[in-house]
Amino acid sequence: SDNHLPPQRWTNSINQASKMSLLAWEKETGIELVQVNGQRRYGGPPPGWVGDPPPASTEVYIGKLPQDLYEDVLIPLFQSVGKLYEFRLMMTFSGLNRGFAYAKYSSQRGARDAIATFNNYQVRQGCAIVVCRSTQKRELSVDGLATSVSQQELEAVLQRATQGVLSITLHASPHQRQAKLAVLKYSSHQAAALAKKILMEGNLRLGGSGIKVEWLHPDLKQKLQLWEERPLSSQVQEDKSLAVLKPPALAPAVQNVLDHLNTLCRRQRLGMPLFLTKCLQVNPNGWLLFWYQVAIPGYPVPFSGFTWVRQDAQGQSKHEEAKAAVALHVLRVLGEPL
């Protein structure tokens, strides 16, 4: 059965026709798709665009996409209700889409029409997609703060100078030695935009010579989350802590967990879960970091994220260990913890 093919072969076998038709479409239309950081982009601006980028509120979020559906189908479809400025399809390492995309129109009307026309639209028999307004950015990163700045101090300054701050987290700066970076979350896009303007004008006494204020970039957000979750030393690992999925203690548990998840999916008629795992780094102290994704055909969105696995477990494949840790997490989400 297909379930025993390695993920790469599975995605290729199920996907060959879709990929071929995408290539033919690119050739025929001369459209160039650029892939960067796990997303493939058309336009931004598209060929022949003259003038400024479109105003705010012109982007829509598209979710619940079948994972072997590509731009050759999606762009003409979303182009049919209005002129596209940009189309971004989120991609997995193995060349499937991640189930969601963003379409930016040349006008707000285009975005409104796309929502009215395509929310709950069946792109395939039994596959209704979700289309809604793309959520506006509300998080800022402030880099280059003095290392002496404390959480309380920063809170006091921000409460005074800006409105609507919901949370503040402080991190060591990934870009500057001897500096801190703060992530600020605001109650609305408007509040965040106003705060960004005030902070950039920079009359705030927060030390640090060159303070840099930007919208929080998804890559940076992911990096900070990984850092927070990185096992620091074996003494921390014995601790209950780590916000990352914790590997099961006993090797035999691996097969049990996977069987349990398969049984649950069968019982709920969700189809067989497909695991993709990729080892991203190995720590000197014997931990491996895996990226994972689990696609369950009957579940609206794939699960993806990161998990740490101990290097020294006897004879288990590390990928199997990672799958077990992930399966435990998926079982919890589906409401059936072991």
Side-chain angles (χ1 to χ4, degrees):
S1 86
D2 276 355
N3 293 321
H4 299 300
L5 289 177
Q8 200 58 49
R9 291 246 310 281
W10 180 88
T11 57
N12 290 346
S13 66
I14 195 165
N15 220 355
Q16 213 43 53
S18 306
K19 284 187 172 162
M20 295 309 289
S21 98
L22 172 68
L23 289 171
W25 174 80
E26 285 183 80
K27 209 165 158 177
E28 188 187 318
T29 56
I31 280 177
E32 256 184 76
L33 300 174
V34 182
Q35 183 147 356
V36 194
N37 289 340
Q39 46 177 286
R40 208 157 53 195
R41 198 176 83 213
Y42 156 76
W49 180 270
V50 181
D52 294 331
S57 307
T58 49
E59 187 171 75
V60 298
Y61 165 85
I62 304 155
K64 294 198 181 179
L65 290 169
Q67 285 192 276
D68 59 338
L69 195 65
Y70 301 113
E71 291 88 346
D72 56 312
V73 175
L74 294 168
I75 288 178
L77 184 67
F78 281 88
Q79 191 83 273
S80 68
V81 294
K83 185 171 170 51
L84 279 178
Y85 173 75
E86 184 181 63
F87 189 90
R88 296 181 294 131
L89 185 62
M90 305 300 136
M91 303 297 293
T92 71
F93 291 117
S94 60
L96 289 170
N97 78 57
R98 281 169 52 198
F100 68 102
Y102 295 92
K104 190 172 204 148
Y105 284 90
S106 60
S107 68
Q108 292 175 344
R109 176 163 179 199
R112 276 201 305 272
D113 289 349
I115 294 169
T117 311
F118 295 126
N119 188 34
N120 284 327
Y121 174 83
Q122 295 216 5
V123 284
R124 276 190 197 151
Q125 192 55 44
C127 292
I129 58 173
V130 171
V131 181
C132 57
R133 218 165 256 311
S134 171
T135 50
Q136 301 262 307
K137 297 183 266 197
R138 300 188 310 176
E139 288 175 301
L140 302 175
S141 67
V142 182
D143 200 356
L145 297 170
T147 44
S148 58
V149 169
S150 72
Q151 182 96 11
Q152 286 79 1
E153 219 176 323
L154 188 57
E155 248 165 66
V157 170
L158 291 171
Q159 299 282 7
R160 216 175 34 244
T162 70
Q163 302 236 278
V165 64
L166 295 180
S167 72
I168 300 168
T169 53
L170 271 175
H171 312 263
S173 167
H175 308 117
Q176 303 182 36
R177 298 182 57 170
Q178 303 300 312
K180 282 184 180 172
L181 176 140
V183 173
L184 318 178
K185 188 169 189 170
Y186 281 85
S187 54
S188 70
H189 177 67
Q190 282 69 22
L194 195 57
K196 182 170 182 277
K197 189 168 176 290
I198 291 166
L199 293 169
M200 283 171 79
E201 288 162 2
N203 322 328
L204 307 174
R205 318 252 176 288
L206 290 170
S209 46
I211 286 187
K212 198 166 167 203
V213 184
E214 296 178 308
W215 292 111
L216 179 59
H217 196 278
D219 293 350
L220 176 61
K221 186 172 184 169
Q222 204 167 49
K223 197 179 201 173
L224 293 173
Q225 281 167 351
L226 284 181
W227 277 16
E228 297 304 294
E229 296 163 350
R230 188 169 49 185
L232 299 173
S233 71
S234 49
Q235 152 261 316
V236 181
Q237 287 147 14
E238 297 345 328
D239 188 23
K240 59 181 189 329
S241 66
L242 311 179
V244 174
L245 311 180
K246 194 99 165 128
L250 296 169
V254 171
Q255 205 41 55
N256 296 353
V257 176
L258 295 171
D259 289 347
H260 193 80
L261 180 60
N262 288 343
T263 310
L264 174 70
C265 289
R266 252 203 317 277
R267 208 174 60 229
Q268 297 192 2
R269 298 202 170 77
L270 294 173
M272 284 294 277
L274 168 80
F275 286 82
L276 302 175
T277 52
K278 186 181 173 85
C279 186
L280 298 184
Q281 72 184 65
V282 179
N283 266 21
N285 57 7
W287 286 78
L288 288 80
L289 176 69
F290 279 86
W291 169 88
Y292 68 84
Q293 179 167 47
V294 188
I296 298 177
Y299 198 77
V301 287
F303 298 85
S304 59
F306 301 89
T307 182
W308 290 95
V309 172
R310 240 352 248 264
Q311 189 137 26
D312 54 21
Q314 292 77 32
Q316 287 287 339
S317 133
K318 296 296 152 273
H319 284 269
E320 290 301 310
E321 295 254 314
K323 279 161 71 167
V326 174
L328 276 174
H329 167 67
V330 174
L331 284 164
R332 277 202 299 276
V333 175
L334 296 176
E336 294 253 348
L338 271 185

